[in-house]
Amino acid sequence: MKITKVWAVYFSPTGNTKKVITTMAKKAAEVLSVPMETFDFTLPENREGVTSFESEDLVFFSTPVYAGRIPNKMLPYVQSAFEGNGAFAVPVSVFGNRNFDNGLIELRNELELHGFHTIAAAGIPTEHVFSNKLATGRPDADDLAKIAEFGEKVAKKVADMTEIPAKIEVRGDDPVTAYYTPLGTDGKPAVFLKAKPKTDPEKCTKCGICATVCPMGSIPKDAPDTCTGICIKCHACIKACPAGAKYFDDEAFLSHVEMLKQNYQRRAEAEWFI
Ligand SMILES: Cc1cc2nc3c(=O)[nH]c(=O)nc-3n(C[C@H](O)[C@H](O)[C@H](O)COP(=O)(O)O)c2cc1C
């Protein structure tokens, strides 16, 4: 099949998804000797209108997994703002060392529903934003080499293809089932939906960087020590704050993080579907 452009399309509040998908797409573009473009829908101002692709596009499309699925606040956008028009696509779920559960099959299904032909897919472990004890420093050099190698395999697959294949088979429940229920150290559901980041007044300089990185636009520029809108717990503000002023103190949330540290420190492996 003829490909004239490779795309890296992603939602990535703290940068892991961006690193994974641009590494993969860059390699594919290099192998196919075509240009690569990126479309980053992390910030609200980028999520306006519909993005259309063409039948000679190869689109690497990735979101992090939140509670075993596509982040639920992004789902309506993913379901309404992309038109494949016959483009080839590679859904990629990036997860924080626990499991991608149904995040990948959900993304595969959404892309297929919206005019893309999925030809490969992957579930890739990266450091969990909740704790640097989970998949510490990943993707590491070994991961990045494997991610690029997969980009190369996808490029070769699409170049050799003579007809449109059936959708790529991936691990997951179809139809997709409920979101993963986060648990606390007591094994009971940890309810922290309403938790919001706190700001240490001693440390905050009101520089406003946090307001510029919040994917929900929930931190006002003129009052960056507050969070007035929805918080999806993505940790963009916490990771971006140069003063280390942002933190969560919600007990249920901290108990969930502790549970993850107790149970998910083994090295999770990537899963490749091609
Ligand atoms: C609200 C929330 C829920 C998450 N749920 C899961 C999960 O169910 N399984 C998992 O392995 N990682 C989970 N993670 C970890 C992220 O998928 C992981 O840290 C990812 O690298 C974040 O991507 P980013 O750096 O592009 O923002 C979750 C993270 C957040 C913020």
Side-chain angles (χ1 to χ4, degrees), residues 11-18 64-69 94-101 126-130 180 192 232-235:
F11 174 73
S12 187
T14 70
N16 288 333
T17 308
K18 177 182 181 178
V65 167
Y66 284 8
R69 303 265 303 264
V94 165
F95 66 102
N97 217 47
R98 189 187 64 76
N99 205 301
F100 58 81
D101 296 338
T126 56
E127 186 169 301
H128 202 304
V129 287
F130 292 174
Y180 162 78
F192 52 84
I232 59 171
K233 269 58 85 182
C234 74
H235 282 58

PDB file of all heavy atoms in Angstrom, residues 11-18 64-69 94-101 126-130 180 192 232-235, ligand 1:
ATOM      1  N   PHE A  11      -2.580  11.938  23.287  1.00  0.00           N
ATOM      2  CA  PHE A  11      -2.949  12.676  24.506  1.00  0.00           C
ATOM      3  C   PHE A  11      -1.880  12.302  25.517  1.00  0.00           C
ATOM      4  O   PHE A  11      -1.664  11.103  25.761  1.00  0.00           O
ATOM      5  CB  PHE A  11      -4.336  12.209  24.976  1.00  0.00           C
ATOM      6  CG  PHE A  11      -4.777  12.794  26.293  1.00  0.00           C
ATOM      7  CD1 PHE A  11      -5.159  14.121  26.386  1.00  0.00           C
ATOM      8  CD2 PHE A  11      -4.814  12.013  27.444  1.00  0.00           C
ATOM      9  CE1 PHE A  11      -5.580  14.665  27.601  1.00  0.00           C
ATOM     10  CE2 PHE A  11      -5.227  12.547  28.661  1.00  0.00           C
ATOM     11  CZ  PHE A  11      -5.608  13.882  28.726  1.00  0.00           C
ATOM     12  N   SER A  12      -1.179  13.269  26.082  1.00  0.00           N
ATOM     13  CA  SER A  12      -0.042  12.909  26.936  1.00  0.00           C
ATOM     14  C   SER A  12       0.247  13.965  27.995  1.00  0.00           C
ATOM     15  O   SER A  12       1.164  14.776  27.846  1.00  0.00           O
ATOM     16  CB  SER A  12       1.206  12.687  26.062  1.00  0.00           C
ATOM     17  OG  SER A  12       2.266  12.180  26.849  1.00  0.00           O
ATOM     18  N   PRO A  13      -0.513  13.956  29.104  1.00  0.00           N
ATOM     19  CA  PRO A  13      -0.319  14.994  30.129  1.00  0.00           C
ATOM     20  C   PRO A  13       1.092  15.066  30.704  1.00  0.00           C
ATOM     21  O   PRO A  13       1.575  16.159  31.001  1.00  0.00           O
ATOM     22  CB  PRO A  13      -1.341  14.613  31.205  1.00  0.00           C
ATOM     23  CG  PRO A  13      -2.408  13.879  30.465  1.00  0.00           C
ATOM     24  CD  PRO A  13      -1.678  13.109  29.400  1.00  0.00           C
ATOM     25  N   THR A  14       1.774  13.925  30.893  1.00  0.00           N
ATOM     26  CA  THR A  14       3.115  14.017  31.499  1.00  0.00           C
ATOM     27  C   THR A  14       4.219  13.502  30.570  1.00  0.00           C
ATOM     28  O   THR A  14       5.360  13.313  31.000  1.00  0.00           O
ATOM     29  CB  THR A  14       3.195  13.318  32.879  1.00  0.00           C
ATOM     30  OG1 THR A  14       3.098  11.901  32.708  1.00  0.00           O
ATOM     31  CG2 THR A  14       2.098  13.786  33.815  1.00  0.00           C
ATOM     32  N   GLY A  15       3.906  13.287  29.311  1.00  0.00           N
ATOM     33  CA  GLY A  15       4.967  13.085  28.314  1.00  0.00           C
ATOM     34  C   GLY A  15       5.362  11.661  27.962  1.00  0.00           C
ATOM     35  O   GLY A  15       6.084  11.448  26.981  1.00  0.00           O
ATOM     36  N   ASN A  16       4.925  10.654  28.753  1.00  0.00           N
ATOM     37  CA  ASN A  16       5.333   9.274  28.417  1.00  0.00           C
ATOM     38  C   ASN A  16       4.724   8.814  27.089  1.00  0.00           C
ATOM     39  O   ASN A  16       5.411   8.205  26.260  1.00  0.00           O
ATOM     40  CB  ASN A  16       4.901   8.299  29.515  1.00  0.00           C
ATOM     41  CG  ASN A  16       5.718   8.452  30.772  1.00  0.00           C
ATOM     42  OD1 ASN A  16       6.873   8.873  30.723  1.00  0.00           O
ATOM     43  ND2 ASN A  16       5.134   8.126  31.907  1.00  0.00           N
ATOM     44  N   THR A  17       3.451   9.091  26.910  1.00  0.00           N
ATOM     45  CA  THR A  17       2.755   8.666  25.692  1.00  0.00           C
ATOM     46  C   THR A  17       3.388   9.344  24.477  1.00  0.00           C
ATOM     47  O   THR A  17       3.615   8.706  23.433  1.00  0.00           O
ATOM     48  CB  THR A  17       1.256   9.017  25.803  1.00  0.00           C
ATOM     49  OG1 THR A  17       0.779   8.486  27.044  1.00  0.00           O
ATOM     50  CG2 THR A  17       0.453   8.442  24.660  1.00  0.00           C
ATOM     51  N   LYS A  18       3.686  10.611  24.623  1.00  0.00           N
ATOM     52  CA  LYS A  18       4.333  11.358  23.535  1.00  0.00           C
ATOM     53  C   LYS A  18       5.667  10.708  23.141  1.00  0.00           C
ATOM     54  O   LYS A  18       5.943  10.499  21.966  1.00  0.00           O
ATOM     55  CB  LYS A  18       4.563  12.806  23.997  1.00  0.00           C
ATOM     56  CG  LYS A  18       5.297  13.647  22.983  1.00  0.00           C
ATOM     57  CD  LYS A  18       5.529  15.050  23.520  1.00  0.00           C
ATOM     58  CE  LYS A  18       6.253  15.890  22.478  1.00  0.00           C
ATOM     59  NZ  LYS A  18       6.464  17.269  22.942  1.00  0.00           N
ATOM     60  N   PRO A  64      -2.701   7.357  27.182  1.00  0.00           N
ATOM     61  CA  PRO A  64      -2.380   6.542  28.364  1.00  0.00           C
ATOM     62  C   PRO A  64      -3.641   5.799  28.784  1.00  0.00           C
ATOM     63  O   PRO A  64      -4.755   6.203  28.421  1.00  0.00           O
ATOM     64  CB  PRO A  64      -1.993   7.591  29.409  1.00  0.00           C
ATOM     65  CG  PRO A  64      -2.544   8.889  28.947  1.00  0.00           C
ATOM     66  CD  PRO A  64      -2.788   8.794  27.465  1.00  0.00           C
ATOM     67  N   VAL A  65      -3.451   4.727  29.535  1.00  0.00           N
ATOM     68  CA  VAL A  65      -4.586   3.998  30.115  1.00  0.00           C
ATOM     69  C   VAL A  65      -4.885   4.593  31.481  1.00  0.00           C
ATOM     70  O   VAL A  65      -3.992   4.764  32.309  1.00  0.00           O
ATOM     71  CB  VAL A  65      -4.230   2.499  30.227  1.00  0.00           C
ATOM     72  CG1 VAL A  65      -5.239   1.774  31.109  1.00  0.00           C
ATOM     73  CG2 VAL A  65      -4.164   1.879  28.854  1.00  0.00           C
ATOM     74  N   TYR A  66      -6.142   4.958  31.705  1.00  0.00           N
ATOM     75  CA  TYR A  66      -6.604   5.418  33.020  1.00  0.00           C
ATOM     76  C   TYR A  66      -7.702   4.442  33.442  1.00  0.00           C
ATOM     77  O   TYR A  66      -8.706   4.274  32.729  1.00  0.00           O
ATOM     78  CB  TYR A  66      -7.216   6.821  32.938  1.00  0.00           C
ATOM     79  CG  TYR A  66      -6.264   7.995  32.812  1.00  0.00           C
ATOM     80  CD1 TYR A  66      -4.892   7.853  32.611  1.00  0.00           C
ATOM     81  CD2 TYR A  66      -6.764   9.299  32.892  1.00  0.00           C
ATOM     82  CE1 TYR A  66      -4.048   8.960  32.497  1.00  0.00           C
ATOM     83  CE2 TYR A  66      -5.932  10.411  32.783  1.00  0.00           C
ATOM     84  CZ  TYR A  66      -4.583  10.232  32.578  1.00  0.00           C
ATOM     85  OH  TYR A  66      -3.769  11.341  32.455  1.00  0.00           O
ATOM     86  N   ALA A  67      -7.525   3.819  34.611  1.00  0.00           N
ATOM     87  CA  ALA A  67      -8.510   2.849  35.119  1.00  0.00           C
ATOM     88  C   ALA A  67      -8.868   1.806  34.058  1.00  0.00           C
ATOM     89  O   ALA A  67     -10.030   1.465  33.845  1.00  0.00           O
ATOM     90  CB  ALA A  67      -9.762   3.563  35.625  1.00  0.00           C
ATOM     91  N   GLY A  68      -7.824   1.329  33.370  1.00  0.00           N
ATOM     92  CA  GLY A  68      -8.004   0.223  32.431  1.00  0.00           C
ATOM     93  C   GLY A  68      -8.702   0.562  31.126  1.00  0.00           C
ATOM     94  O   GLY A  68      -9.101  -0.347  30.383  1.00  0.00           O
ATOM     95  N   ARG A  69      -8.864   1.822  30.838  1.00  0.00           N
ATOM     96  CA  ARG A  69      -9.564   2.238  29.618  1.00  0.00           C
ATOM     97  C   ARG A  69      -8.930   3.514  29.049  1.00  0.00           C
ATOM     98  O   ARG A  69      -8.008   4.079  29.635  1.00  0.00           O
ATOM     99  CB  ARG A  69     -11.050   2.537  29.950  1.00  0.00           C
ATOM    100  CG  ARG A  69     -11.833   1.404  30.596  1.00  0.00           C
ATOM    101  CD  ARG A  69     -12.614   0.589  29.594  1.00  0.00           C
ATOM    102  NE  ARG A  69     -13.538   1.395  28.808  1.00  0.00           N
ATOM    103  CZ  ARG A  69     -14.835   1.566  29.082  1.00  0.00           C
ATOM    104  NH1 ARG A  69     -15.366   0.985  30.137  1.00  0.00           N
ATOM    105  NH2 ARG A  69     -15.616   2.295  28.295  1.00  0.00           N
ATOM    106  N   VAL A  94      -0.536   3.191  26.439  1.00  0.00           N
ATOM    107  CA  VAL A  94       0.618   3.348  27.321  1.00  0.00           C
ATOM    108  C   VAL A  94       0.093   3.209  28.742  1.00  0.00           C
ATOM    109  O   VAL A  94      -0.899   3.843  29.098  1.00  0.00           O
ATOM    110  CB  VAL A  94       1.253   4.731  27.048  1.00  0.00           C
ATOM    111  CG1 VAL A  94       2.216   5.127  28.148  1.00  0.00           C
ATOM    112  CG2 VAL A  94       1.939   4.721  25.680  1.00  0.00           C
ATOM    113  N   PHE A  95       0.723   2.350  29.539  1.00  0.00           N
ATOM    114  CA  PHE A  95       0.186   2.116  30.886  1.00  0.00           C
ATOM    115  C   PHE A  95       1.296   2.135  31.931  1.00  0.00           C
ATOM    116  O   PHE A  95       2.474   2.019  31.604  1.00  0.00           O
ATOM    117  CB  PHE A  95      -0.604   0.793  30.935  1.00  0.00           C
ATOM    118  CG  PHE A  95       0.232  -0.461  30.735  1.00  0.00           C
ATOM    119  CD1 PHE A  95       0.596  -1.249  31.822  1.00  0.00           C
ATOM    120  CD2 PHE A  95       0.643  -0.854  29.477  1.00  0.00           C
ATOM    121  CE1 PHE A  95       1.340  -2.412  31.657  1.00  0.00           C
ATOM    122  CE2 PHE A  95       1.406  -2.008  29.292  1.00  0.00           C
ATOM    123  CZ  PHE A  95       1.759  -2.786  30.392  1.00  0.00           C
ATOM    124  N   GLY A  96       0.873   2.283  33.199  1.00  0.00           N
ATOM    125  CA  GLY A  96       1.828   2.500  34.277  1.00  0.00           C
ATOM    126  C   GLY A  96       2.192   1.269  35.062  1.00  0.00           C
ATOM    127  O   GLY A  96       2.153   1.290  36.293  1.00  0.00           O
ATOM    128  N   ASN A  97       2.526   0.190  34.378  1.00  0.00           N
ATOM    129  CA  ASN A  97       3.085  -1.013  35.013  1.00  0.00           C
ATOM    130  C   ASN A  97       2.064  -1.938  35.668  1.00  0.00           C
ATOM    131  O   ASN A  97       2.413  -3.021  36.116  1.00  0.00           O
ATOM    132  CB  ASN A  97       4.158  -0.666  36.055  1.00  0.00           C
ATOM    133  CG  ASN A  97       5.295  -1.669  36.057  1.00  0.00           C
ATOM    134  OD1 ASN A  97       5.806  -2.025  34.996  1.00  0.00           O
ATOM    135  ND2 ASN A  97       5.703  -2.138  37.220  1.00  0.00           N
ATOM    136  N   ARG A  98       0.806  -1.506  35.757  1.00  0.00           N
ATOM    137  CA  ARG A  98      -0.212  -2.443  36.282  1.00  0.00           C
ATOM    138  C   ARG A  98      -0.720  -3.270  35.109  1.00  0.00           C
ATOM    139  O   ARG A  98      -0.284  -4.392  34.903  1.00  0.00           O
ATOM    140  CB  ARG A  98      -1.357  -1.694  36.994  1.00  0.00           C
ATOM    141  CG  ARG A  98      -2.307  -2.656  37.727  1.00  0.00           C
ATOM    142  CD  ARG A  98      -3.527  -1.943  38.298  1.00  0.00           C
ATOM    143  NE  ARG A  98      -4.382  -1.353  37.281  1.00  0.00           N
ATOM    144  CZ  ARG A  98      -5.230  -2.035  36.484  1.00  0.00           C
ATOM    145  NH1 ARG A  98      -5.347  -3.340  36.623  1.00  0.00           N
ATOM    146  NH2 ARG A  98      -5.958  -1.408  35.583  1.00  0.00           N
ATOM    147  N   ASN A  99      -1.576  -2.679  34.249  1.00  0.00           N
ATOM    148  CA  ASN A  99      -2.131  -3.420  33.122  1.00  0.00           C
ATOM    149  C   ASN A  99      -2.842  -2.439  32.198  1.00  0.00           C
ATOM    150  O   ASN A  99      -3.379  -1.446  32.672  1.00  0.00           O
ATOM    151  CB  ASN A  99      -3.154  -4.449  33.618  1.00  0.00           C
ATOM    152  CG  ASN A  99      -3.316  -5.606  32.653  1.00  0.00           C
ATOM    153  OD1 ASN A  99      -3.666  -5.409  31.501  1.00  0.00           O
ATOM    154  ND2 ASN A  99      -3.045  -6.806  33.114  1.00  0.00           N
ATOM    155  N   PHE A 100      -2.868  -2.761  30.906  1.00  0.00           N
ATOM    156  CA  PHE A 100      -3.665  -1.885  30.033  1.00  0.00           C
ATOM    157  C   PHE A 100      -5.114  -2.372  29.921  1.00  0.00           C
ATOM    158  O   PHE A 100      -5.963  -1.714  29.318  1.00  0.00           O
ATOM    159  CB  PHE A 100      -3.028  -1.698  28.649  1.00  0.00           C
ATOM    160  CG  PHE A 100      -2.782  -2.941  27.829  1.00  0.00           C
ATOM    161  CD1 PHE A 100      -3.810  -3.521  27.103  1.00  0.00           C
ATOM    162  CD2 PHE A 100      -1.519  -3.501  27.762  1.00  0.00           C
ATOM    163  CE1 PHE A 100      -3.587  -4.663  26.323  1.00  0.00           C
ATOM    164  CE2 PHE A 100      -1.275  -4.632  26.988  1.00  0.00           C
ATOM    165  CZ  PHE A 100      -2.315  -5.224  26.269  1.00  0.00           C
ATOM    166  N   ASP A 101      -5.414  -3.495  30.534  1.00  0.00           N
ATOM    167  CA  ASP A 101      -6.786  -4.015  30.584  1.00  0.00           C
ATOM    168  C   ASP A 101      -7.511  -3.859  29.236  1.00  0.00           C
ATOM    169  O   ASP A 101      -7.103  -4.455  28.251  1.00  0.00           O
ATOM    170  CB  ASP A 101      -7.585  -3.335  31.709  1.00  0.00           C
ATOM    171  CG  ASP A 101      -7.036  -3.632  33.092  1.00  0.00           C
ATOM    172  OD1 ASP A 101      -6.345  -4.642  33.266  1.00  0.00           O
ATOM    173  OD2 ASP A 101      -7.299  -2.843  34.018  1.00  0.00           O
ATOM    174  N   THR A 126       5.121   2.164  31.009  1.00  0.00           N
ATOM    175  CA  THR A 126       5.956   3.348  31.243  1.00  0.00           C
ATOM    176  C   THR A 126       5.827   3.694  32.716  1.00  0.00           C
ATOM    177  O   THR A 126       4.934   3.177  33.390  1.00  0.00           O
ATOM    178  CB  THR A 126       5.426   4.551  30.435  1.00  0.00           C
ATOM    179  OG1 THR A 126       4.060   4.755  30.784  1.00  0.00           O
ATOM    180  CG2 THR A 126       5.523   4.327  28.928  1.00  0.00           C
ATOM    181  N   GLU A 127       6.683   4.594  33.188  1.00  0.00           N
ATOM    182  CA  GLU A 127       6.611   4.962  34.605  1.00  0.00           C
ATOM    183  C   GLU A 127       5.217   5.482  34.950  1.00  0.00           C
ATOM    184  O   GLU A 127       4.636   6.270  34.209  1.00  0.00           O
ATOM    185  CB  GLU A 127       7.666   6.037  34.909  1.00  0.00           C
ATOM    186  CG  GLU A 127       7.746   6.361  36.388  1.00  0.00           C
ATOM    187  CD  GLU A 127       8.962   7.206  36.729  1.00  0.00           C
ATOM    188  OE1 GLU A 127      10.106   6.765  36.477  1.00  0.00           O
ATOM    189  OE2 GLU A 127       8.771   8.317  37.238  1.00  0.00           O
ATOM    190  N   HIS A 128       4.708   5.001  36.078  1.00  0.00           N
ATOM    191  CA  HIS A 128       3.373   5.429  36.509  1.00  0.00           C
ATOM    192  C   HIS A 128       3.467   6.837  37.090  1.00  0.00           C
ATOM    193  O   HIS A 128       4.339   7.107  37.902  1.00  0.00           O
ATOM    194  CB  HIS A 128       2.844   4.445  37.566  1.00  0.00           C
ATOM    195  CG  HIS A 128       1.349   4.453  37.698  1.00  0.00           C
ATOM    196  ND1 HIS A 128       0.633   5.602  37.983  1.00  0.00           N
ATOM    197  CD2 HIS A 128       0.422   3.458  37.571  1.00  0.00           C
ATOM    198  CE1 HIS A 128      -0.660   5.307  38.031  1.00  0.00           C
ATOM    199  NE2 HIS A 128      -0.815   4.017  37.779  1.00  0.00           N
ATOM    200  N   VAL A 129       2.569   7.715  36.655  1.00  0.00           N
ATOM    201  CA  VAL A 129       2.602   9.094  37.180  1.00  0.00           C
ATOM    202  C   VAL A 129       2.339   9.141  38.684  1.00  0.00           C
ATOM    203  O   VAL A 129       2.737  10.093  39.346  1.00  0.00           O
ATOM    204  CB  VAL A 129       1.591  10.033  36.481  1.00  0.00           C
ATOM    205  CG1 VAL A 129       2.034  10.369  35.093  1.00  0.00           C
ATOM    206  CG2 VAL A 129       0.187   9.464  36.491  1.00  0.00           C
ATOM    207  N   PHE A 130       1.698   8.122  39.222  1.00  0.00           N
ATOM    208  CA  PHE A 130       1.384   8.150  40.654  1.00  0.00           C
ATOM    209  C   PHE A 130       2.601   7.838  41.530  1.00  0.00           C
ATOM    210  O   PHE A 130       2.624   8.203  42.699  1.00  0.00           O
ATOM    211  CB  PHE A 130       0.296   7.111  41.004  1.00  0.00           C
ATOM    212  CG  PHE A 130      -1.074   7.405  40.444  1.00  0.00           C
ATOM    213  CD1 PHE A 130      -2.102   6.475  40.593  1.00  0.00           C
ATOM    214  CD2 PHE A 130      -1.350   8.593  39.778  1.00  0.00           C
ATOM    215  CE1 PHE A 130      -3.378   6.736  40.103  1.00  0.00           C
ATOM    216  CE2 PHE A 130      -2.622   8.860  39.277  1.00  0.00           C
ATOM    217  CZ  PHE A 130      -3.642   7.928  39.442  1.00  0.00           C
ATOM    218  N   TYR A 180     -11.587  -0.246  35.561  1.00  0.00           N
ATOM    219  CA  TYR A 180     -10.896  -0.868  36.694  1.00  0.00           C
ATOM    220  C   TYR A 180     -11.245  -0.083  37.958  1.00  0.00           C
ATOM    221  O   TYR A 180     -11.231   1.151  37.942  1.00  0.00           O
ATOM    222  CB  TYR A 180      -9.388  -0.836  36.410  1.00  0.00           C
ATOM    223  CG  TYR A 180      -8.502  -1.026  37.610  1.00  0.00           C
ATOM    224  CD1 TYR A 180      -8.294  -2.288  38.162  1.00  0.00           C
ATOM    225  CD2 TYR A 180      -7.842   0.062  38.191  1.00  0.00           C
ATOM    226  CE1 TYR A 180      -7.469  -2.456  39.267  1.00  0.00           C
ATOM    227  CE2 TYR A 180      -7.010  -0.098  39.285  1.00  0.00           C
ATOM    228  CZ  TYR A 180      -6.835  -1.355  39.818  1.00  0.00           C
ATOM    229  OH  TYR A 180      -6.019  -1.515  40.903  1.00  0.00           O
ATOM    230  N   PHE A 192     -11.581   8.236  45.036  1.00  0.00           N
ATOM    231  CA  PHE A 192     -10.887   9.533  45.081  1.00  0.00           C
ATOM    232  C   PHE A 192     -11.216  10.386  43.855  1.00  0.00           C
ATOM    233  O   PHE A 192     -10.439  11.253  43.460  1.00  0.00           O
ATOM    234  CB  PHE A 192      -9.374   9.333  45.232  1.00  0.00           C
ATOM    235  CG  PHE A 192      -8.746   8.401  44.249  1.00  0.00           C
ATOM    236  CD1 PHE A 192      -8.365   8.851  42.992  1.00  0.00           C
ATOM    237  CD2 PHE A 192      -8.518   7.068  44.578  1.00  0.00           C
ATOM    238  CE1 PHE A 192      -7.778   7.993  42.076  1.00  0.00           C
ATOM    239  CE2 PHE A 192      -7.938   6.199  43.659  1.00  0.00           C
ATOM    240  CZ  PHE A 192      -7.562   6.664  42.402  1.00  0.00           C
ATOM    241  N   ILE A 232      -8.462  15.256  36.649  1.00  0.00           N
ATOM    242  CA  ILE A 232      -8.429  13.852  36.210  1.00  0.00           C
ATOM    243  C   ILE A 232      -7.228  13.098  36.814  1.00  0.00           C
ATOM    244  O   ILE A 232      -6.931  11.978  36.404  1.00  0.00           O
ATOM    245  CB  ILE A 232      -8.461  13.737  34.668  1.00  0.00           C
ATOM    246  CG1 ILE A 232      -7.272  14.470  34.016  1.00  0.00           C
ATOM    247  CG2 ILE A 232      -9.790  14.241  34.116  1.00  0.00           C
ATOM    248  CD1 ILE A 232      -7.136  14.212  32.505  1.00  0.00           C
ATOM    249  N   LYS A 233      -6.547  13.751  37.738  1.00  0.00           N
ATOM    250  CA  LYS A 233      -5.426  13.120  38.457  1.00  0.00           C
ATOM    251  C   LYS A 233      -4.230  12.795  37.533  1.00  0.00           C
ATOM    252  O   LYS A 233      -3.419  11.905  37.803  1.00  0.00           O
ATOM    253  CB  LYS A 233      -5.856  11.827  39.170  1.00  0.00           C
ATOM    254  CG  LYS A 233      -6.329  11.960  40.588  1.00  0.00           C
ATOM    255  CD  LYS A 233      -7.472  12.865  40.814  1.00  0.00           C
ATOM    256  CE  LYS A 233      -8.817  12.207  40.601  1.00  0.00           C
ATOM    257  NZ  LYS A 233      -9.936  13.185  40.794  1.00  0.00           N
ATOM    258  N   CYS A 234      -4.138  13.513  36.411  1.00  0.00           N
ATOM    259  CA  CYS A 234      -3.100  13.191  35.419  1.00  0.00           C
ATOM    260  C   CYS A 234      -1.701  13.518  35.902  1.00  0.00           C
ATOM    261  O   CYS A 234      -0.725  13.022  35.362  1.00  0.00           O
ATOM    262  CB  CYS A 234      -3.382  13.908  34.094  1.00  0.00           C
ATOM    263  SG  CYS A 234      -3.039  15.688  34.154  1.00  0.00           S
ATOM    264  N   HIS A 235      -1.581  14.421  36.901  1.00  0.00           N
ATOM    265  CA  HIS A 235      -0.296  14.834  37.478  1.00  0.00           C
ATOM    266  C   HIS A 235       0.519  15.790  36.602  1.00  0.00           C
ATOM    267  O   HIS A 235       1.696  16.015  36.875  1.00  0.00           O
ATOM    268  CB  HIS A 235       0.549  13.616  37.882  1.00  0.00           C
ATOM    269  CG  HIS A 235       0.114  12.981  39.169  1.00  0.00           C
ATOM    270  ND1 HIS A 235      -1.173  12.497  39.359  1.00  0.00           N
ATOM    271  CD2 HIS A 235       0.766  12.763  40.334  1.00  0.00           C
ATOM    272  CE1 HIS A 235      -1.276  12.006  40.584  1.00  0.00           C
ATOM    273  NE2 HIS A 235      -0.112  12.156  41.198  1.00  0.00           N
TER     274      HIS A 235
HETATM  275  C1  LIG B   1      -6.073   8.651  36.588  1.00  0.00           C
HETATM  276  C2  LIG B   1      -5.032   7.657  36.155  1.00  0.00           C
HETATM  277  C3  LIG B   1      -5.362   6.321  36.070  1.00  0.00           C
HETATM  278  C4  LIG B   1      -4.398   5.372  35.649  1.00  0.00           C
HETATM  279  N1  LIG B   1      -4.768   4.067  35.524  1.00  0.00           N
HETATM  280  C5  LIG B   1      -3.849   3.151  35.124  1.00  0.00           C
HETATM  281  C6  LIG B   1      -4.218   1.775  34.969  1.00  0.00           C
HETATM  282  O1  LIG B   1      -5.374   1.393  35.083  1.00  0.00           O
HETATM  283  N2  LIG B   1      -3.242   0.875  34.667  1.00  0.00           N
HETATM  284  C7  LIG B   1      -1.931   1.250  34.524  1.00  0.00           C
HETATM  285  O2  LIG B   1      -1.081   0.377  34.309  1.00  0.00           O
HETATM  286  N3  LIG B   1      -1.570   2.568  34.588  1.00  0.00           N
HETATM  287  C8  LIG B   1      -2.492   3.520  34.881  1.00  0.00           C
HETATM  288  N4  LIG B   1      -2.140   4.840  34.962  1.00  0.00           N
HETATM  289  C9  LIG B   1      -0.752   5.236  34.643  1.00  0.00           C
HETATM  290  C10 LIG B   1      -0.582   5.920  33.299  1.00  0.00           C
HETATM  291  O3  LIG B   1      -1.169   5.155  32.257  1.00  0.00           O
HETATM  292  C11 LIG B   1       0.912   6.126  33.001  1.00  0.00           C
HETATM  293  O4  LIG B   1       1.536   6.788  34.067  1.00  0.00           O
HETATM  294  C12 LIG B   1       1.201   6.864  31.709  1.00  0.00           C
HETATM  295  O5  LIG B   1       2.595   6.786  31.486  1.00  0.00           O
HETATM  296  C13 LIG B   1       0.827   8.324  31.718  1.00  0.00           C
HETATM  297  O6  LIG B   1       1.039   8.848  30.420  1.00  0.00           O
HETATM  298  P1  LIG B   1       1.539  10.338  30.105  1.00  0.00           P
HETATM  299  O7  LIG B   1       2.950  10.471  30.653  1.00  0.00           O
HETATM  300  O8  LIG B   1       1.530  10.410  28.622  1.00  0.00           O
HETATM  301  O9  LIG B   1       0.613  11.286  30.770  1.00  0.00           O
HETATM  302  C14 LIG B   1      -3.075   5.791  35.346  1.00  0.00           C
HETATM  303  C15 LIG B   1      -2.756   7.159  35.457  1.00  0.00           C
HETATM  304  C16 LIG B   1      -3.721   8.080  35.836  1.00  0.00           C
HETATM  305  C17 LIG B   1      -3.347   9.535  35.877  1.00  0.00           C
END
